[in-house]
Amino acid sequence: MKKLLIGLAALPLAGCISFGEKPPKALLSLSSTEQVPVGREQSSAAARTVTIQVPVVPQELATNRIPVQSNRIDVAYVKDAQWVDLPARQFARVMSDTVAARTGRVVLSGAQALADPGARLSGELRTFGVDAGSSTAVVTFDAALIRDEGGALEKQRFEARVPVSVIEAAPVAVALNQAANQVAVQVADWIGR
């Protein structure tokens, strides 16, 4: 009888317990518009190499959500929008695909670059979200490039802005994907010169 009473007393609490937010209907991802053709062999013996590191990010981008900046100090997030992976990692993959496709360089991961990293690209993904005032998706990347061993550090800021029809998950993700690809092309052309 005692066990039954304890069980009945706990029953109303079961509806109050939550183990996190309700997941969105779909997770969002970035895809590169420039790809190395399937089956094309790449060799560091025949082409120069470049190591692309995952960029550092400010705290508002250290999440799988999409920030919306309404002014210089207020940050909100797009409702029901969540990336499949952190934006910095996805952006690094888009840059890797684009650099390999546009420059012919062999793009190395951090582990592959231990012996000979070649050129090294790092940087900060400063903006990767929506500017609510102008209704645009904005990607800003401060790149740092060392072209060869012992070479000088070069820095350059790259930015792309793509209009957003409405600040909702799907249109914002499409616009951010376009902006990320535009920045990746700019970076690839800079590395390839």
Side-chain angles (χ1 to χ4, degrees):
M1 186 66 164
K2 223 181 214 184
K3 289 181 184 178
L4 179 63
L5 287 174
I6 291 173
L8 289 173
L11 193 57
L13 294 176
C16 299
I17 297 173
S18 174
F19 294 102
E21 293 181 30
K22 182 179 166 187
K25 293 178 184 175
L27 297 176
L28 307 169
S29 67
L30 298 178
S31 62
S32 180
T33 55
E34 306 255 352
Q35 298 281 330
V36 172
V38 174
R40 183 173 106 190
E41 186 175 315
Q42 296 180 299
S43 170
S44 63
R48 294 172 30 198
T49 61
V50 60
T51 302
I52 297 179
Q53 298 175 347
V54 174
V56 297
V57 295
Q59 189 60 40
E60 71 262 14
L61 296 179
T63 178
N64 288 7
R65 300 183 69 195
I66 300 173
V68 178
Q69 198 86 37
S70 58
N71 58 44
R72 290 183 175 242
I73 57 172
D74 292 333
V75 176
Y77 290 94
V78 177
K79 184 180 178 187
D80 298 327
Q82 187 172 330
W83 294 112
V84 70
D85 194 2
L86 293 173
R89 283 192 217 142
Q90 292 194 74
F91 180 66
R93 282 192 293 273
V94 168
M95 280 197 307
S96 294
D97 290 345
T98 305
V99 167
R102 290 182 74 85
T103 68
R105 288 183 182 236
V106 177
V107 177
L108 304 175
S109 68
Q112 295 168 333
L114 291 176
D116 180 17
R120 293 175 307 284
L121 177 72
S122 60
E124 181 181 4
L125 186 58
R126 296 182 62 90
T127 311
F128 196 87
V130 178
D131 177 359
S134 62
S135 292
T136 55
V138 182
V139 174
T140 307
F141 177 58
D142 283 350
L145 177 66
I146 299 174
R147 291 189 184 272
D148 53 34
E149 193 64 38
L153 176 71
E154 299 175 35
K155 291 187 84 172
Q156 187 167 333
R157 176 170 283 181
F158 300 94
E159 184 173 272
R161 293 175 171 267
V162 175
V164 177
S165 57
V166 62
I167 300 177
E168 292 178 357
V172 165
V174 168
L176 279 169
N177 192 66
Q178 290 174 358
N181 275 280
Q182 289 175 16
V183 169
V185 165
Q186 295 169 21
V187 171
D189 292 347
W190 180 55
I191 290 172
R193 63 176 181 148

